[in-house]
Amino acid sequence: MTHTLTIIIPVFNEEKNLERVEKELKSYLEHCKIPTTVLFVNDGSRDSSLQIIKKICAEDPGFQYLNFDKNYGLSTAIKAGFDYAESSLIGYIDSDLQTSPKDFDLLLEYIGEYDLVTGVRSNRKDSLVKNMSSRIANIIRRSFTQDGMDDTGCPLKIIKTDYAKRIPMFQGLHRFLPAMILLQNGKIKQVPIQHFPRIAGNGKFGVWNRLLGPMADCIAYVWMKKKYINYKVLKSE
């Protein structure tokens, strides 16, 4: 079966969430209007995440997985998903399920006209410190990228695959996906979505890597923007 959408789910030590991930993604696959598959990317988990993922994939052909030899980080997990996807669209959602797979439908409404559609977490259910650090980080990124996005860190996105595969991913650039689409002269849009509190497992990013990381990443982005190669072929014989 040829799939139109591949949903990437990076996983690092999320054993307590994966049963719920399976349940909610199965429900979404049953009602999704386009042929969709789920691709877990196990990023060197040290708990029982891999064993649970293998069980899920063995029981349901709608689920597949990649398994890293060690922990590489979120940007690498997303990049691997981009590399292995064969569908025309790629979705991305975190395994903590603080966003809902059902909201992919909200993004799909616009993906025909746009090349990346990202969620904006309305009424966020995170702590005050986390919300404030994310808000400051977004302001910093927006000042450098001028992408107009209010919530680049939102872990719910849909991207046209030919654009995703051309993104030169580096560590930290998962926060810059909208800006990287703009570098390709693509069109981007943000759509309000639901947000939920994390009910199991532990967050992987703290205050310092939300604030200090973006500064270094912004410098890398500015360099890349100056050096980025973009062209259109008018004729080929």
Side-chain angles (χ1 to χ4, degrees):
M1 180 180 181
T2 302
H3 296 98
T4 304
L5 172 65
T6 300
I7 297 175
I8 301 168
I9 307 182
V11 177
F12 178 61
N13 295 344
E14 292 286 359
E15 60 184 5
K16 296 179 180 178
N17 281 310
L18 289 176
E19 182 178 343
R20 192 162 58 96
V21 168
E22 178 186 18
K23 180 180 178 181
E24 293 204 20
L25 267 297
K26 273 187 176 181
S27 175
Y28 181 71
L29 293 182
E30 290 173 359
H31 299 98
C32 187
K33 297 178 181 179
I34 59 176
T36 301
T37 187
V38 174
L39 178 63
F40 289 110
V41 182
N42 182 49
D43 185 20
S45 294
R46 293 186 286 269
D47 61 4
S48 61
S49 292
L50 177 59
Q51 288 70 34
I52 298 171
I53 289 171
K54 286 181 176 180
K55 182 175 182 294
I56 293 171
C57 295
E59 294 175 349
D60 192 325
F63 292 78
Q64 301 173 328
Y65 74 94
L66 304 175
N67 182 43
F68 287 167
D69 60 333
K70 63 179 183 179
N71 176 243
Y72 288 97
L74 182 55
S75 292
T76 304
I78 293 173
K79 164 82 166 112
F82 288 172
D83 290 344
Y84 277 81
E86 298 179 348
S87 53
S88 58
L89 298 174
I90 296 174
Y92 157 54
I93 189 171
D94 275 352
S95 51
D96 59 18
L97 287 187
Q98 287 193 255
T99 54
S100 171
K102 295 178 182 177
D103 284 346
F104 276 125
D105 290 343
L106 300 176
L107 309 188
L108 285 168
E109 292 180 17
Y110 299 95
I111 198 61
E113 180 180 355
Y114 295 90
D115 304 301
L116 175 146
V117 185
T118 182
V120 178
R121 293 167 285 188
S122 55
N123 192 21
R124 286 186 64 172
K125 300 298 192 297
D126 289 322
S127 68
L128 177 62
V129 172
K130 185 175 180 180
N131 284 339
M132 287 302 297
S133 61
S134 293
R135 185 174 301 176
I136 293 169
N138 274 305
I139 291 172
I140 294 171
R141 280 191 291 271
R142 192 162 56 241
S143 68
F144 276 84
T145 63
Q146 301 295 312
D147 60 12
M149 296 288 102
D150 297 315
D151 187 12
T152 59
C154 178
L156 193 81
K157 292 178 172 65
I158 290 183
I159 311 172
K160 289 179 179 173
T161 302
D162 55 346
Y163 281 83
K165 288 183 179 293
R166 291 197 296 266
I167 295 174
M169 290 289 285
F170 296 91
Q171 290 297 343
L173 284 190
H174 62 273
R175 306 179 182 98
F176 289 77
L177 294 179
M180 300 307 295
I181 299 302
L182 291 179
L183 281 186
Q184 301 178 45
N185 297 321
K187 297 174 64 179
I188 61 178
K189 184 176 179 62
Q190 55 186 2
V191 177
I193 62 166
Q194 305 172 87
H195 189 248
F196 306 93
R198 176 185 268 272
I199 64 173
N202 298 309
K204 308 303 185 293
F205 295 96
V207 173
W208 292 113
N209 56 22
R210 282 195 188 89
L211 295 179
L212 297 181
M215 287 300 298
D217 296 339
C218 285
I219 294 170
Y221 170 79
V222 170
W223 177 88
M224 193 181 310
K225 185 176 182 180
K226 290 180 179 179
K227 302 292 185 179
Y228 191 76
I229 295 174
N230 211 357
Y231 64 89
K232 290 184 178 180
V233 176
L234 294 179
K235 186 177 181 181
S236 175
E237 294 184 355

